Amino acid sequence: MEALVLRAKPREGIGKEKAKKLRQKGSIPAVLYGENATPENLILNIVELDHFLRATRGQSVIFDLLVDEKPSINSKVIIREVQRDPVTHNLIHADLLRLSETHSVRLNIPIHLKGAAMGIKKGGILEHLLREVEVKAIPSKIPPFIEIDVSNLDVNKSIHISDLKLAEGIEILDSPETPIVHIATPKVEAEAPVAVVTEEVQEPELVEKKKKEEVPEEKEKEKEKEKEKEKE
């Protein structure tokens, strides 16, 4: 990737009120630290920083920091952290880390996947379990991202950190057994049992029998009525 340049200005004074005024003018406060040097308070343009972050798309990219009013602090830098407003998501602060080719640094490097896994073609489900890996190296050795080809990954197979092949001089700090990507077997949902509704059907014989049983009862009632009339 082509070297990127980020310009900054020295910042005088600190505090919430001054930081608020900076943001109202389209800038944010930033701090440059590292290499056992005194931290430097800086001012960054919000639009330029946002453009930089979009251009690097979350990659750990080393860039040139230029401070025209104070060239003595110009250096190779990496963005260590940015803070955003929890409501508006606007940038509100940035921490920059000064780098040196004589000292190694620890950084989290994004992991990118490429290729169509054969396991997916068989109905498997790709699970990207680890999105970044921590490494230690001198700045010139640090890659912007780590790319993993998953084309040959089959169902129930995984790629672990121990499978990564990085350039000499880059030390991976995460556990070698940590899985990065896995092709899971698709879950088969059990079919719900079909409820069978049975209706009770009266048999003709029983209906007929009931009718026959009802006839004598009617005759008895008629006889009782006749006896009552005779008594009258």
Side-chain angles (χ1 to χ4, degrees):
M1 180 179 290
E2 185 179 351
L4 297 174
V5 175
L6 188 64
R7 295 185 177 278
K9 295 180 180 180
R11 174 165 59 102
E12 303 227 355
I14 57 175
K16 292 184 178 179
E17 287 302 318
K18 292 189 177 182
K20 183 177 179 181
K21 290 180 180 179
L22 279 177
R23 298 184 190 108
Q24 291 173 346
K25 295 179 181 179
S27 299
I28 62 168
V31 177
L32 172 65
Y33 63 96
E35 285 303 301
N36 297 320
T38 303
E40 298 282 351
N41 294 319
L42 302 173
I43 298 173
L44 298 177
N45 181 276
I46 292 179
V47 175
E48 289 183 4
L49 179 59
D50 189 60
H51 175 74
F52 179 88
L53 293 173
R54 291 176 184 276
T56 57
R57 288 178 284 186
Q59 300 173 5
S60 299
V61 178
I62 298 172
F63 62 95
D64 293 318
L65 177 71
L66 299 182
V67 185
D68 294 334
E69 292 88 342
K70 198 173 181 181
S72 60
I73 63 175
N74 291 350
S75 55
K76 296 286 185 182
V77 175
I78 196 165
I79 295 178
R80 191 67 169 180
E81 183 181 6
V82 294
Q83 297 176 18
R84 294 182 180 271
D85 185 280
V87 178
T88 64
H89 299 290
N90 293 332
L91 292 165
I92 58 176
H93 191 273
D95 286 338
L96 310 177
L97 179 63
R98 183 188 288 110
L99 303 178
S100 169
E101 283 302 311
T102 59
H103 293 88
S104 297
V105 293
R106 299 164 62 119
L107 291 173
N108 290 328
I109 308 299
I111 295 175
H112 294 179
L113 305 181
K114 74 170 185 177
M118 67 166 64
I120 296 179
K121 299 175 183 178
K122 297 178 181 179
I125 301 171
L126 187 145
E127 297 178 340
H128 192 173
L129 305 173
L130 190 66
R131 300 282 174 171
E132 59 183 22
V133 61
E134 186 178 16
V135 303
K136 182 179 179 182
I138 59 174
S140 61
K141 292 281 187 179
I142 297 173
F145 59 88
I146 296 173
E147 189 172 66
I148 299 177
D149 189 349
V150 298
S151 302
N152 296 322
L153 196 60
D154 207 345
V155 176
N156 290 328
K157 298 297 181 180
S158 302
I159 295 177
H160 298 78
I161 285 182
S162 58
D163 299 315
L164 296 180
K165 306 299 180 184
L166 302 183
E168 186 179 353
I170 301 177
E171 178 185 357
I172 299 177
L173 302 179
D174 292 280
S175 172
E177 291 79 21
T178 304
I180 299 172
V181 59
H182 175 73
I183 303 295
T185 304
K187 295 181 180 179
V188 179
E189 296 184 1
E191 295 184 0
V194 179
V196 178
V197 180
T198 58
E199 295 183 357
E200 293 184 1
V201 180
Q202 287 184 321
E203 296 182 2
E205 294 181 359
L206 295 176
V207 176
E208 187 66 26
K209 182 179 180 182
K210 185 175 182 182
K211 287 183 178 180
K212 289 180 179 180
E213 290 175 350
E214 290 176 353
V215 173
E217 292 180 0
E218 293 295 328
K219 288 183 178 181
E220 290 294 329
K221 289 180 180 179
E222 289 179 1
K223 289 179 179 181
E224 290 178 358
K225 288 180 180 179
E226 290 178 359
K227 288 179 180 181
E228 290 179 357
K229 287 180 181 181
E230 291 176 355
K231 288 179 181 180
E232 293 176 353

